[in-house]
Each structure stands twice: as structure tokens, then as C-alpha cells.
Amino acid sequence: MAGFWTGAAALATAGRRGRRWPQLLMRSVALWTVKHVPHYSRRYLVVSRTLCSAGYDSNEKTFDKILIANRGEIACRVIKTCKKMGIKTVAIHSDVDASSVHVKMADEAVCVGPAPTSKSYLNMNAIMDAVRSTRAQAVHPGYGFLSENKEFAKRLAAADAIFIGPDTHAIQAMGDKIESKLLAKKAKVNTIPGFDGVVKDADEAVRIAREIGYPVMIKASAGGGGKGMRIAWDDEETRDGFRFSSQEAASSFGDDRLLIEKFIDNPRHIEIQVLGDKHGNALWLNERECSIQRRNQKVVEEAPSIFLDSETRRAMGEQAVALAKAVNYSSAGTVEFLVDSKKNFYFLEMNTRLQVEHPVTECITGLDLVQEMIRVAKGYPLRHKQADIPINGWAVECRVYAEDPYKSFGLPSVGRLSQYEEPIHLPGVRVDSGIQPGSDISIYYDPMISKLITYGSDRTEALKRMEDALDSYVIRGVTHNIALLREVIINSRFIEGDINTKFLSDVYPDGFKGHQLTETERNQFLAVASSLFVASQLRAQHFQDHESSRVPIVKPQVASWELSVKLHDEIHTVVVSSSGPTFSVEVDGSKLNVTSTWNLASPLLSVNVDGTQRTIQCLSREAGGNMSIQFLGTVYKVRILTKLAAELNKFMLEKAAEDTSSILRSPMPGVVVAISVKPGDLVAEGQEICVIEAMKMQNSMTAGKTGKVKSVHCKAGDTVGEGDLLVELE
């Protein structure tokens, strides 16, 4: 009973129920399909619960044509609402994005330059030319890129095009962290102690940090999204943080100014969605809990927060609105707070744009925030009062990234999506994406694959639906972070609400290792894997039986299969016997029954293990018995051999592992920003060797041992792939 994206099957149900809903919360149902998009890219929108006035009024004229100055999922998201409102759309794209989903969805498309963002999605001249040539009346910037660029908004105004966002005064005031903090203080918003000026150099950064007291947060004045942000616990980390943060800030925002403030240890990151119009009205649309982060970037978000009580929520909301009114804010925006264990909250920053995690707010309020932004940009007043804004149900969002979660909780992965299926067949699931099978995840842009949102009547239902959705999400061709996302949402601390921004490092101090199987889960997995092996053998035998042959082959009927299964360097003896679709499996003395349709051609397989239903994915099966199976979100590699094959395998030589102590390989694809050593240099363990930039984040690569540099295989400016050799030591 919520506003979420789902399949067409929900439409009829929503329509039937609509006749019985009370007038105050009248539900409106809107459905459209996207033209000119392949069948696997089509989306349906069912707004199955909205406020009485939240539906679109066809007599309310806004714009004839809107250009979306963005790419990927957020461009697709904006286009969907525009189509609902009867507005034509223009997509912009780089040359490598010419076949992207957002380009196919739009009514028109204009190429604005080559792949690098500085030459395309940040190329104001090319985008302004696109606005003029297409005669777009307004521009929606999405998030990132030029969404908080006051110069872009000014140039649009000069060209008589409407910027769908706040005016330039609000962008400047809130986009500059120093100015925004001063304004927040003036508006009586709680602020974090810190230095209110621009930090000039590393020496001044150390002096300021000592005055404030460690730990401190160094962050880009014009920043956002975790970029240009570092935590420092001592002088050395402050110097390094100043260097890396200023470089990241210059790369991401074209502004290397930094500020320093007190770092609040173990805080929660809770933000308030605000909405204002050009008539002095402003609302707060409840909060979003965004504490699960890695490298200061959000991974899991939910609305509402399990931590806040109604009094704290109202106080945060009223302060957020006070800040918005102080700058005459007119659009959708977000005021972010840090909240300590005693529910004291402090202003962090205001994002003058649509947030990545806005769908969870839409789910619990029924509002279409993109539609509200368009209405406000046209000059219409808000249609709601503060008392009209409900908290109805619970919504959770997981950011699905093309990342390796086993490396620093997520280093970027690149590649082409060879297979891709979203779990929109499940109830209460919404997927905001801008990709399709065959799409490329490249080093040029953010590695986000999609935003996976689930909705339920309460938090328990929303989390269970998220668990099922993650199990049913098919992503092949790139490494992804589904294993980490699934572990977070089933973690006991997360379920209890005991979370903060250090959650990942606290729960996984030695790094993420995947799901750790209990004995019961291990036996279930071994039973499922063995059943899969036998099912594939029986299918192959069935295929051979139907092959024409001059001499009929009589095959003995096998009553049971005795197998040797290797998992995590442990060998297990498994005996499998079949009876139709059910396999009886004995694993190390335990007996289990495994039932399924055994459709081995399907990427998803639903199996029942002694009454427990599991959704698994068999990623690969090799003739030598090696299998990769996604089970409980984590991919496990097993080797299954018959008893005879296992006996013979003992005589096979194993490949020796590579000695990696003297070499440095790139842990991710990216661009070499700097090389700090040359052949002949002596380096100490932990010393910086080079800096790799990937997806606008800079990462310092260090020596694994003390030694002399033998050779350097890269130079500044080189593009490197994951696993490429960078430096060798003697």
C-alpha cells in the first residue's frame, strides 16, 4: 500500500482497491510505458498511494519541453515523471553514452562531447547550445555534475530557460560549506564546532586541527557525496588529508577550497527532506537514516529513522525549514545532520538538489518529488500543509554498485553487463536504474548500477522484501556489492537499529569477508550444490539418450551418487539419490531433502531445503566440477567430483600461488595520478608508491614490504586495469 515502482501486475490490484480508499488519502494510479526502449528496459509506474492532491492535474500547465542535464538512472527518473505530466524531454549524452537507456527514453537527444565529464556533462557551453537548439524551456540537473553550480543556473536564466532548482543565491549560500555554516548559526540551527574560514595550506590545517582537537573532518567547501572528505586523527593524517581532499575537490567540483571542523565520533547521519516554493512556503517531509556508509558515501538508506522520536524529528524538521526560509529556498532540497547517541543533532550541510535517496521519502509520503520540483519551478505554490505530510509504512534503499566489496568495502569494477534482470516481479519493489543488458560500466562515471528500494507496512516487512529482492537480482559481467548489502540488512546490530557512520568498520574490522555460513547453512549449501551437480549430469544423460545412434547404448541406472565436495579447502563426502524433482542428500551424516524445478537454463533457481525456501544463482559450471553459486547473497566456489574422479585428482599437480610481496598491482581500474618512486629508491613498508584515481576518488597505493624499487611500469596519466602491474621491488 505505498508509492513505489513495480510491475504491471500490481496495477489491477491498485485499481480495485482504489474504490475503497478514504477520500482524505485518495490514491491515484498512473501507468505509462517508455517508447523506443527495448523490452528489457521498459518500466511501469504505479503510484498506488498519494495524498489527495498529489496526483497530476492535466489542466495545470508547466513546461512543453525539459532538458535533463544528467545521465543514468537519475535522468531516467526525471524522464518518467515528465512523461506522466505530458512534457517532452531532451537527453544529453557523451559519445560513449549514445546508446544509453536515458537517451532511448527521451524524445530528443544531443551529444555534448567525449567521455570525460569535463568535456561532456560538465561542458556548460555544449549544454547551453543543446538548450538553445532544442528550444527546451527548462532544465532539470538531477544530482551531481552541474546540479549545484550557480554559474550554470545564471547562464540558463540569461538564455530565458528555467533552472529546475533553487535560485542562485540559495545555491551559492548552501553550496559553500563555510557560508552555509554561518547562515545556519544565524538561523539558530545547531552547528558543529570548527574553523569557519578557508584553510590555506597543510601547515595551517595542522594548526587549526590542533586548536579544534582531534579527530577532525577535512572536507571540500564546495563538495558533496563524500568526495574531498577525510578524517584525520593526528598531524600526519591532517597533512595527507589536506593534499588528497584538495585534489579530489579540484577534480570533482573545480574548487579546491577546504574547511576543517570537529569530527563527532560514532554519529548517525540523518537528513531532512525539505520542499519550498517561490511564495515563502516551506515544508519538511520527514527524515532519512543514511548512517551506513563507506568512504563517507551512503550505501543503505531508510525512511523513517528507527532512532528518532517525534519530538526530535519535529525539532530537526523545524530547524531545516528555518534554514531553507533563511535563503528563500524554492525547490526540493536536503538538510543533513549528524546526530549523537543522546539525540543531539548538528547541521552538516544542505544539498540544493534532488538526493540520490529521495525514493524512500516518496514511498512513505506518496509525493513525487520531481513533479513537485517542476511545479515549483513554474511558479505554482505548494499544494500541501505540514499537517498533511504522513509517515506511512517503511522504505529501505540499497545502492547497488559495480564494486568489489571485499576491497575496502567497495573498489570500483568495470565491464559490460552480459546479463541483467531486476527483481521488479516481487511485491513492494522499486528499481531506479539507467542500464540494460549490454550496458558498459566504465571508469568515467559513478559505478552505481541502480537504486533498489523496497517498501513495507513496517521495517520488518521492508527488510524482508529487500532480502528477497537482493537474492533475486541478476547481475552478470561486473563485480557487484550485493553480498555486502545483504549482510548489512540481516546484521543483528542493523536490525536492532544500533548503527552509526562507522558501522562497516566496526562490524568488519578486518574487512568484509562475505557471509559466514553456520553449520546448518553450510549443509544446506552443500546439499543444494550437490543436487545441482547431479541434476546437470542427469540432464546431460537425458540429452545423450535422445541422440540418434546406429548402435543403441545401454546405460546402467545409477541409484545414488557418491560425491566429494570441496568448500573452503575442506572436503565433504556427500551422497545424493533422486526421486523426480526431489533429491535426498546425505551431508557428513545429516540428511536433507532438496526440491526444485531444476531449470538449469534460468539465472534464478528457487529451491526448497527441508521446508526452507532459498533463491540461488548458479553463476558457472565447468566440466572439471568447479561451480560458482550465489547463496545467501555471497558467491561460493565449490569443486564437486565423483568418488572415482576425486581419487584420480590426487595425482594432479596444483598451480603454485604467485608471490605478491615484491609487486604492487592496481586493485581497481583507474588513472594514475602520481608516482612517488623511481627505480633504485629505497621504500619502507606502508610508504606511498603511487596514487590511483577511480570514479573521482583518489586512493594511495603503499608498499607491502621494505625494499628497493626494481622497476616502475606506469606513469602519471596512464589508465590501468584491475590487476595491472604497477611497481616491482627487488
Side-chain angles (χ1 to χ4, degrees):
M1 309 278 288
F4 52 77
W5 305 94
T6 186
L11 180 63
T13 302
R16 288 194 300 270
R17 293 176 179 173
R19 292 191 294 270
R20 299 195 300 270
W21 287 335
Q23 185 175 4
L24 177 62
L25 291 177
M26 181 65 69
R27 276 68 164 173
S28 64
V29 181
L31 169 69
W32 72 86
T33 59
V34 178
K35 297 181 179 178
H36 314 302
V37 185
H39 69 281
Y40 42 73
S41 297
R42 291 187 178 176
R43 298 290 185 272
Y44 299 88
L45 173 65
V46 178
V47 183
S48 57
R49 182 195 50 75
T50 62
L51 295 174
C52 57
S53 57
Y56 175 63
D57 181 359
S58 59
N59 295 318
E60 188 178 80
K61 301 302 180 185
T62 53
F63 304 103
D64 296 324
K65 184 185 293 185
I66 291 176
L67 182 143
I68 297 95
N70 218 297
R71 67 179 298 278
E73 67 86 13
I74 189 58
C76 295
R77 165 70 188 89
V78 175
I79 291 171
K80 289 170 184 174
T81 289
C82 287
K83 287 184 177 293
K84 178 181 72 172
M85 300 176 71
I87 302 170
K88 292 183 181 298
T89 54
V90 179
I92 63 167
H93 64 90
S94 64
D95 52 9
V96 298
D97 273 346
S99 299
S100 294
V101 175
H102 78 281
V103 173
K104 297 177 181 179
M105 288 177 65
D107 297 292
E108 300 175 55
V110 179
C111 182
V112 290
T117 56
S118 60
K119 298 179 180 179
S120 53
Y121 297 103
L122 291 174
N123 186 345
M124 273 192 259
N125 289 334
I127 295 173
M128 291 304 303
D129 287 343
V131 172
R132 284 188 285 266
S133 65
T134 61
R135 297 183 179 180
Q137 297 168 311
V139 173
H140 196 300
Y143 54 74
F145 295 137
L146 298 173
S147 62
E148 295 176 282
N149 188 298
K150 62 180 183 296
E151 181 61 30
F152 182 53
K154 287 179 180 178
R155 292 185 64 173
L156 286 172
D160 292 326
I162 302 297
F163 179 75
I164 301 178
D167 62 30
T168 54
H169 167 67
I171 295 174
Q172 178 174 339
M174 293 295 100
D176 187 309
K177 288 184 172 60
I178 297 169
E179 186 176 352
S180 67
K181 189 173 181 179
L182 295 174
L183 280 167
K185 285 183 177 179
K186 189 175 180 180
K188 295 183 169 40
V189 177
N190 304 342
T191 57
I192 303 171
F195 178 69
D196 294 331
V198 177
V199 184
K200 297 177 183 177
D201 53 36
D203 289 336
E204 186 178 38
V206 170
R207 179 182 61 78
I208 293 169
R210 288 176 178 174
E211 290 176 358
I212 296 173
Y214 288 109
V216 297
M217 175 73 80
I218 304 169
K219 57 186 181 180
S221 175
K227 295 180 175 65
M229 187 180 294
R230 289 289 192 284
I231 299 168
W233 296 80
D234 54 38
D235 290 355
E236 183 180 355
E237 289 187 359
T238 299
R239 293 184 184 278
D240 288 342
F242 180 89
R243 176 163 64 100
F244 287 126
S245 291
S246 59
Q247 289 172 355
E248 286 178 3
S251 175
S252 297
F253 314 112
D255 184 345
D256 63 357
R257 293 177 303 149
L258 301 177
L259 68 144
I260 300 177
E261 62 188 19
K262 179 70 176 176
F263 174 66
I264 299 175
D265 205 8
N266 298 321
R268 287 174 177 264
H269 186 136
I270 300 177
E271 60 192 28
I272 301 291
Q273 175 73 59
V274 295
L275 182 64
D277 62 23
K278 300 179 186 298
H279 305 276
N281 303 306
L283 304 171
W284 51 275
L285 308 179
N286 304 313
E287 80 281 2
R288 295 186 288 256
E289 172 74 71
C290 307
S291 298
I292 307 299
Q293 304 179 1
R294 53 98 179 89
R295 298 191 301 279
N296 300 310
Q297 290 183 311
K298 303 162 190 172
V299 179
V300 178
E301 301 103 347
E302 58 183 312
S305 168
I306 194 173
F307 184 64
L308 294 191
D309 53 52
S310 58
E311 183 178 343
T312 307
R313 176 180 295 114
R314 183 175 61 255
M316 292 176 69
E318 289 175 350
Q319 287 198 17
V321 166
L323 182 60
K325 288 187 174 181
V327 290
N328 298 318
Y329 196 83
S330 58
S331 190
T334 298
V335 181
E336 301 190 347
F337 293 94
L338 291 181
V339 185
D340 67 19
S341 59
K342 297 181 180 179
K343 298 182 181 177
N344 298 309
F345 56 90
Y346 305 94
F347 171 70
L348 182 62
E349 63 181 352
M350 182 176 187
N351 291 313
T352 57
R353 53 170 168 80
L354 195 64
Q355 289 280 91
V356 177
E357 57 274 18
H358 76 274
V360 292
T361 295
E362 293 183 327
C363 285
I364 68 166
T365 63
L367 292 175
D368 181 334
L369 292 180
V370 174
Q371 178 183 332
E372 298 302 324
M373 293 178 75
I374 293 172
R375 290 189 69 260
V376 168
K378 185 62 176 176
Y380 290 109
L382 298 182
R383 298 174 291 176
H384 316 295
K385 302 297 183 184
Q386 190 63 59
D388 297 332
I389 307 301
I391 296 180
N392 195 316
W394 211 283
V396 180
E397 174 178 302
C398 285
R399 299 192 189 186
V400 181
Y401 281 102
E403 291 181 337
D404 186 347
Y406 300 95
K407 297 178 180 178
S408 301
F409 301 113
L411 292 185
S413 169
V414 299
R416 177 166 293 177
L417 290 166
S418 57
Q419 194 169 9
Y420 182 73
E421 294 182 13
E422 297 172 349
I424 55 175
H425 61 285
L426 299 176
V429 173
R430 164 178 170 174
V431 181
D432 281 17
S433 69
I435 58 173
Q436 60 193 21
S439 291
D440 285 311
I441 307 295
S442 74
I443 64 171
Y444 297 109
Y445 311 118
D446 189 273
M448 182 189 290
I449 293 174
S450 74
K451 301 181 309 196
L452 177 63
I453 306 102
T454 56
Y455 174 87
S457 58
D458 53 30
R459 190 170 187 258
T460 300
E461 184 176 41
L463 289 176
K464 180 61 175 71
R465 287 178 168 177
M466 180 60 74
E467 187 179 336
D468 294 340
L470 290 168
D471 284 341
S472 302
Y473 207 147
V474 178
I475 304 171
R476 310 284 170 83
V478 296
T479 304
H480 54 73
N481 66 333
I482 281 180
L484 175 63
L485 296 172
R486 194 183 190 282
E487 284 304 291
V488 168
I489 65 165
I490 66 170
N491 183 273
S492 58
R493 274 188 55 181
F494 180 83
I495 292 172
E496 293 166 5
D498 179 18
I499 60 178
N500 55 55
T501 56
K502 293 172 59 182
F503 178 87
L504 291 180
S505 58
D506 286 348
V507 174
Y508 309 106
D510 300 321
F512 180 65
K513 308 295 184 184
H515 182 73
Q516 304 302 302
L517 295 169
T518 65
E519 183 178 354
T520 298
E521 291 170 344
R522 184 204 65 192
N523 289 344
Q524 287 183 349
F525 174 75
L526 293 173
V528 170
S530 300
S531 298
L532 265 173
F533 175 82
V534 173
S536 64
Q537 295 295 315
L538 291 174
R539 186 180 69 164
Q541 178 180 318
H542 180 73
F543 176 76
Q544 290 173 350
D545 288 343
H546 284 76
E547 285 290 293
S548 59
S549 176
R550 292 182 179 180
V551 180
I553 300 175
V554 179
K555 296 183 177 68
Q557 293 296 319
V558 179
S560 63
W561 301 67
E562 189 171 348
L563 306 174
S564 174
V565 184
K566 183 178 181 180
L567 172 67
H568 297 152
D569 295 325
E570 294 183 353
I571 305 296
H572 302 268
T573 299
V574 179
V575 179
V576 183
S577 58
S578 64
S579 176
T582 300
F583 290 100
S584 179
V585 186
E586 185 175 333
V587 181
D588 295 340
S590 299
K591 293 185 177 180
L592 302 95
N593 291 315
V594 183
T595 303
S596 178
T597 59
W598 303 113
N599 180 4
L600 303 184
S602 173
L604 294 173
L605 195 62
S606 179
V607 297
N608 187 294
V609 186
D610 281 349
T612 300
Q613 202 71 28
R614 303 286 190 197
T615 299
I616 68 165
Q617 299 184 37
C618 184
L619 306 184
S620 66
R621 293 194 310 273
E622 298 176 3
N626 292 317
M627 301 175 70
S628 293
I629 300 172
Q630 184 173 312
F631 179 77
L632 301 179
T634 295
V635 176
Y636 299 94
K637 295 183 178 180
V638 293
R639 188 171 192 184
I640 304 178
L641 301 172
T642 62
K643 184 178 181 180
L644 175 60
E647 290 294 326
L648 296 175
N649 189 63
K650 295 177 182 178
F651 300 100
M652 299 293 291
L653 295 176
E654 290 192 12
K655 182 180 179 180
E658 180 186 24
D659 179 12
T660 59
S661 62
S662 299
I663 60 176
L664 176 66
R665 294 187 182 276
S666 178
M668 74 206 118
V671 176
V672 179
V673 175
I675 296 289
S676 306
V677 299
K678 62 182 183 300
D681 286 354
L682 293 175
V683 296
E685 181 180 353
Q687 180 179 333
E688 181 178 291
I689 298 294
C690 64
V691 176
I692 304 291
E693 182 178 283
M695 278 73 172
K696 301 299 180 183
M697 296 293 287
Q698 295 196 355
N699 304 272
S700 176
M701 304 291 104
T702 59
K705 70 172 188 178
T706 299
K708 180 184 287 188
V709 177
K710 178 181 178 182
S711 57
V712 178
H713 296 268
C714 60
K715 62 182 183 299
D718 283 356
T719 298
V720 295
E722 180 179 355
D724 284 1
L725 182 62
L726 303 176
V727 175
E728 288 184 273
L729 302 180
E730 291 183 354

